[in-house]
Amino acid sequence: MDVVNPATGARVETYDDHDEDDVEAALDRSEQAFKDWQTRPLREREQLLANAAEVLRENKQEYAETMTREMGKPISQAVGEVEKCAWVCEHYAEHASAYLEADHHPSPPGSEVKTEHEPLGTVLAVMPWNFPLWQVFRFAAPYLTAGNVGILKHASNVPGCALAIEEVFQKAGYPDDVFQSLLIPSDLVDNLLTDSRVRAATLTGSGPAGRAVAANAGDQLKKTVLELGGSDPFVVLDDADLSAAAETGAWARNLNGGQSCIAAKRFIVHTDVYDEFLGSLTDEMDSLVVGDPANEETDIGPQAREDLMETLHEQVTASVEAGATLVTGGEPLDREGAFYPPTILTDPPEGCPVDTEETFGPVATVYEVDDEESAITKANDTPFGLGASVWTQDRDRGERVASRIDAGCVYVNQLVKSDPRVPFGGVKDSGYGRELSEAGIKEFVNRKTVWIE
């Protein structure tokens, strides 16, 4: 696997792939590791996870620089990502025992009935490049602590991140092979899914990848959790705080170079405040610094790969040709690297790419609507259902509108985000299952009913 720095286009490192024999050996080791790991006291597993948080914080600059080098994340955001990984480890180190405590049920006199939560075994994780540490730790922290073991198939452009994650668990004192990273091409994933030693799978990625994993795992009757794409609406009602909405909206669209499933992508704005909000949003996006991701002052680095930037630009170009209005941005920057500027399109014709497809980059689409009802209809006019953001100074109104939006999570007067304390996941084409919080740690356990007479 060649690592190409997207800020320069230069190859910076090469890693040897694992082959089918390596996969077979890893599965054997994983199965053996599970036999011991599942018997370890939960308190011991919690302590090891707390150790992992310490390793992450002690080495946060090193891990952040690996992310920046491999996929172009601005260094300040990369450091923040490592800190968030430490947070999720600390969360489950503190709360796993409470989350996994047996549930007791009504039963006849003299009997006891409870539900225990037992691990399943080896969990395969197929993870993307956009949050190369966070996406992994939000699965690994709960699933490993529940007593499962993990095998990671990471995106091929972030092999250094994959090996760094494996290193974190090693340094934290985890037993050998409780967590393994395999540097394999996508065509070997099917072999893993169909192997009887893999008991469950989780994927964060594209819709087609999710469907393929779900189909293969379903054929084997294996549990899956899928977190797929999103085209999140950002609804600005007529009584919104426009300054706050524009400032947060610009960041919600452009964080991580806009390469986020839960980024604000479709801005749906009430006609009474449309012009003012559009002007403020444009000013905010134009003020963002695009540049060297190794520079602390940079807000937006390069797109993760040249081909991804080209696809994004094709979506913008086709939409403008179909009749959308280009307000700002819209052309790759004339410089070395895969840099694309913050871009705003308005009046997108129905059916054009930015209207119907997920745009995975710093491109905002702005719609004008006449009233609250039209805003809700437009927000739901998408096959995706990951997140949504609603802006109004009336909290009751915000809650009412939020209840009518088809999404896995809706934030009122806040950007959409994942937080260890609350469940995260989508509906419709955005996938199924939940990560994080109590719901996340219970996705891959056997909820065993035990009746004691």
Side-chain angles (χ1 to χ4, degrees):
M1 293 184 180
D2 290 332
V3 174
V4 176
N5 186 333
T8 64
R11 185 176 67 182
V12 293
E13 202 155 0
T14 298
Y15 293 82
D16 292 333
D17 290 357
H18 291 119
D19 58 21
E20 292 183 12
D21 291 339
D22 296 320
V23 171
E24 179 67 22
L27 287 169
D28 275 342
R29 292 194 303 269
S30 185
E31 190 173 45
Q32 290 301 314
F34 176 63
K35 291 177 181 179
D36 172 69
W37 182 243
Q38 66 177 324
T39 67
R40 296 285 184 104
L42 178 54
R43 290 295 188 186
E44 182 180 330
R45 297 198 296 261
E46 288 175 325
Q47 182 57 59
L48 288 170
L49 192 61
N51 295 349
E54 293 179 2
V55 173
L56 284 161
R57 289 212 163 90
E58 289 169 0
N59 299 278
K60 64 183 178 182
Q61 190 66 31
E62 175 190 342
Y63 298 146
E65 289 172 0
T66 300
M67 280 188 273
T68 297
R69 181 172 61 253
E70 291 193 332
M71 54 74 59
K73 188 185 301 288
I75 189 64
S76 58
Q77 295 174 38
V79 170
E81 181 169 333
V82 181
E83 290 279 2
K84 191 171 184 179
C85 293
W87 179 26
V88 76
C89 290
E90 290 167 343
H91 177 82
Y92 282 108
E94 181 178 355
H95 298 290
S97 292
Y99 288 156
L100 295 173
E101 188 175 8
D103 298 324
H104 290 264
H105 309 288
S107 61
S111 65
E112 179 185 0
V113 181
K114 60 183 178 179
T115 298
E116 297 180 341
H117 305 99
E118 298 181 347
L120 298 180
T122 299
V123 178
L124 169 66
V126 182
M127 293 289 115
W129 47 262
N130 58 332
F131 291 92
L133 263 67
W134 169 245
Q135 304 279 18
V136 177
F137 274 94
R138 77 182 189 191
F139 107 79
Y143 298 166
L144 297 186
T145 308
N148 298 295
V149 296
I151 291 181
L152 169 65
K153 187 279 183 229
H154 218 325
S156 59
N157 60 329
V158 289
C161 292
L163 297 179
I165 295 165
E166 189 176 60
E167 176 188 273
V168 170
F169 291 112
Q170 292 170 346
K171 287 184 173 181
Y174 278 71
D176 291 343
D177 306 317
V178 166
F179 181 92
Q180 299 179 74
S181 288
L182 286 176
L183 305 184
I184 58 173
S186 296
D187 58 12
L188 291 185
V189 171
D190 286 350
N191 293 344
L192 283 162
L193 282 171
T194 57
D195 194 288
S196 62
R197 289 165 291 186
V198 171
R199 298 295 304 277
T202 180
L203 175 139
T204 299
S206 68
R211 286 182 170 86
V213 166
N216 290 330
D219 187 59
Q220 304 293 318
L221 297 180
K222 294 178 182 179
K223 178 73 180 291
T224 52
V225 169
L226 304 179
E227 196 269 276
L228 308 178
S231 189
D232 287 9
F234 189 100
V235 178
V236 181
L237 298 175
D238 52 317
D239 63 343
D241 180 335
L242 298 184
S243 176
E247 181 179 359
T248 302
W251 192 237
R253 172 62 278 198
N254 292 283
L255 178 68
N256 200 41
Q259 301 165 121
S260 170
C261 296
I262 54 172
K265 292 166 186 166
R266 296 178 300 128
F267 290 78
I268 300 166
V269 186
H270 192 288
T271 188
D272 290 353
V273 295
Y274 178 84
D275 290 337
E276 183 178 352
F277 176 79
L278 178 59
S280 296
L281 180 67
T282 303
D283 290 343
E284 291 287 349
M285 288 181 63
D286 285 345
S287 71
L288 296 173
V289 177
V290 182
D292 180 0
N295 189 325
E296 292 281 353
E297 304 303 315
T298 293
D299 297 312
I300 302 175
Q303 301 298 280
R305 298 196 313 261
E306 185 78 24
D307 63 303
L308 297 172
M309 184 189 72
E310 291 170 354
T311 297
L312 181 70
H313 186 52
E314 287 169 3
Q315 290 175 303
V316 170
T317 301
S319 298
V320 171
E321 289 174 351
T325 301
L326 179 63
V327 176
T328 189
E331 288 289 342
L333 296 185
D334 185 17
R335 57 175 293 176
E336 190 177 60
F339 290 91
Y340 205 82
T343 296
I344 297 176
L345 297 175
T346 62
D347 308 312
E350 185 175 347
C352 74
V354 300
D355 179 58
T356 59
E357 301 172 6
E358 180 180 21
T359 50
F360 216 64
V363 176
T365 306
V366 186
Y367 299 84
E368 182 175 0
V369 294
D370 294 332
D371 51 37
E372 178 183 305
E373 192 66 29
S374 299
I376 295 169
T377 299
K378 188 61 187 175
N380 291 331
D381 183 24
T382 173
F384 297 104
L386 191 52
S389 183
V390 177
W391 289 78
T392 170
Q393 294 189 72
D394 183 336
R395 290 167 60 97
D396 292 337
R397 185 187 191 190
E399 186 174 1
R400 183 180 70 246
V401 171
S403 70
R404 297 183 60 196
I405 294 179
D406 297 330
C409 55
V410 183
Y411 285 75
V412 179
N413 298 326
Q414 181 60 271
L415 55 80
V416 179
K417 54 191 174 182
S418 56
D419 183 308
R421 298 166 295 187
V422 296
F424 178 81
V427 296
K428 302 193 290 186
D429 284 3
S430 290
Y432 54 74
R434 291 295 179 267
E435 297 177 305
L436 303 175
S437 190
E438 182 175 355
I441 200 171
K442 289 183 175 178
E443 282 286 2
F444 292 143
V445 295
N446 172 22
R447 303 184 187 195
K448 179 193 286 185
T449 296
V450 178
W451 186 300
I452 305 167
E453 193 68 36

